[in-house]
């Protein structure tokens, strides 16, 4: 007789499989970003940080694939082509690179760090905690690459041009259904011990990280947080019963 499937474990397996794909994508994105930063004349330490991040993400993909397998899913096939650039077409090349580094690092990596530190505050299992700690220690460095690049551009006056794009960056960093009610399966607290945030907590962490870290950081670098605040308020209104 085949053992009954555990829906929470299945959900966690899918989440870590998805995360593996995200890490594979980030590996290729950072390798390309390193090249772009060099071509646009950004400081060498920023290029080196991007190269290091690319290598970290490759290791993260392996960790996520291992967890996915442990919980019963297969690992995704390795990616071979870099993901589409994040910036909309038509921006001058330096602005497009700044967009990419801000969206990938200041927004997405800061968001990942928020998720990982929340999990570290709640997960008790030792082996999983070791992986979460490893990922968090790297993701915070990846986030710093974005803040350093942004700060280096501040005096050029280019950072203020980013303000209307921040809502798209935030939207691109979340799942389509994050501001929709979660299913009972997505809200199951047992997901936590498998390293996955239940849906409402995930939304709460995203909102808190955006308001407490991302927008103040962008504002300090000369990016008006107004459009992003409006975007977030609209999302919260859509959620209200
Ligand atoms: Fe990662
Ligand atoms: Fe990362």
């Amino acid at each position: 007789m085949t053992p009954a499937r555990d829906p929470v474990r299945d959900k966690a397996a899918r989440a870590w499989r998805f995360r593996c794909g995200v890490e594979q994508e980030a590996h290729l994105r950072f390798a390309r970003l390193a090249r772009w930063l060099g071509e646009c004349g950004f400081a060498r330490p920023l290029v080196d940080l991007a190269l290091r991040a690319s290598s970290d993400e490759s290791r993260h993909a392996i960790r996520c694939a291992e967890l996915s397998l442990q919980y019963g899913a297969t690992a995704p096939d390795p990616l071979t082509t870099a993901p589409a650039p994040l910036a909309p077409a038509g921006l001058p090349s330096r602005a497009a690179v700044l967009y990419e580094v801000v969206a990938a690092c200041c927004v997405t990596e800061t968001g990942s760090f928020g998720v990982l530190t929340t999990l570290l505050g709640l997960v008790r299992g030792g082996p999983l905690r070791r992986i979460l700690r490893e990922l968090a220690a790297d993701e915070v460095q990846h986030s710093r690459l974005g803040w350093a690049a942004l700060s280096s551009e501040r005096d050029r006056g280019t950072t203020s041009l980013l303000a209307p794009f921040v809502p798209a960056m935030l939207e691109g960093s979340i799942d389509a259904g994050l501001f929709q009610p979660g299913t009972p399966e997505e809200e199951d607290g047992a997901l936590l011990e498998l390293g996955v945030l239940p849906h409402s907590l995930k939304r709460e962490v995203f909102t808190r990280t955006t308001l407490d870290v991302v927008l103040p950081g962008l504002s300090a670098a000369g990016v008006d947080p107004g459009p992003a605040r409006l975007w977030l308020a609209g999302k919260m209104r859509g959620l209200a019963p």
Side-chain angles (χ1 to χ4, degrees):
M1 206 169 78
T2 19
R5 310 246 355 144
D6 175 347
V8 172
R9 208 172 165 85
D10 286 350
K11 168 86 186 141
R14 287 195 301 276
W16 281 104
R17 186 181 199 277
F18 178 78
R19 179 81 207 181
C20 177
V22 171
E23 302 284 0
Q24 290 176 342
E25 201 176 281
H27 161 62
L28 296 174
R29 187 178 297 287
F30 276 116
R32 181 179 61 193
L33 183 59
R35 181 164 48 80
W36 284 354
L37 288 168
E39 287 168 359
C40 285
F42 281 81
R44 183 69 216 183
L46 298 178
V47 176
D48 290 340
L49 276 175
L51 288 172
R52 166 77 192 271
S54 176
S55 153
D56 292 340
E57 304 295 18
S58 174
R59 176 168 37 80
H60 294 182
I62 294 168
R63 298 283 181 272
C64 296
E66 286 167 353
L67 282 172
S68 168
L69 286 168
Q70 184 185 325
Y71 297 150
T74 54
D77 291 333
L79 277 186
T80 48
T81 50
L86 296 169
L91 284 182
S93 57
R94 195 174 179 97
V97 174
L98 186 62
Y99 185 115
E100 181 94 6
V101 75
V102 169
C105 301
C106 303
V107 174
T108 302
E109 295 285 348
T110 304
S112 294
F113 182 65
V115 168
L116 290 162
T117 48
T118 304
L119 284 167
L120 276 166
L122 297 166
V123 170
R124 287 160 300 175
L128 180 57
R129 282 185 63 80
R130 268 195 294 283
I131 294 176
L132 294 172
R133 256 201 307 272
E134 176 186 340
L135 300 183
D138 293 333
E139 307 301 24
V140 72
Q141 295 301 331
H142 306 167
S143 154
R144 284 179 186 146
L145 161 60
W147 298 115
L150 192 62
S151 146
S152 77
E153 284 297 282
R154 189 185 174 166
D155 294 339
R156 289 172 169 255
T158 43
T159 57
S160 61
L161 305 175
L162 292 175
F165 297 114
V166 178
M169 294 179 187
L170 290 165
E171 185 85 57
S173 75
I174 58 174
D175 302 337
L178 186 64
F179 284 86
Q180 308 284 323
T183 62
E185 183 198 51
E186 289 171 329
E187 296 290 8
D188 197 320
L191 286 167
L192 275 173
E193 282 304 322
L194 302 174
V196 177
L197 290 183
H199 190 77
S200 310
L201 181 55
K202 192 160 138 191
R203 183 169 57 235
E204 189 189 313
V205 169
F206 169 78
T207 304
R208 202 173 53 224
T209 306
T210 300
L211 289 174
D212 295 352
V213 185
V214 175
L215 297 189
L218 291 176
S219 180
V223 183
D224 174 13
R229 285 188 188 281
L230 279 177
W231 172 85
L232 190 57
K235 289 283 186 193
M236 300 302 286
R237 261 198 313 278
L239 188 64

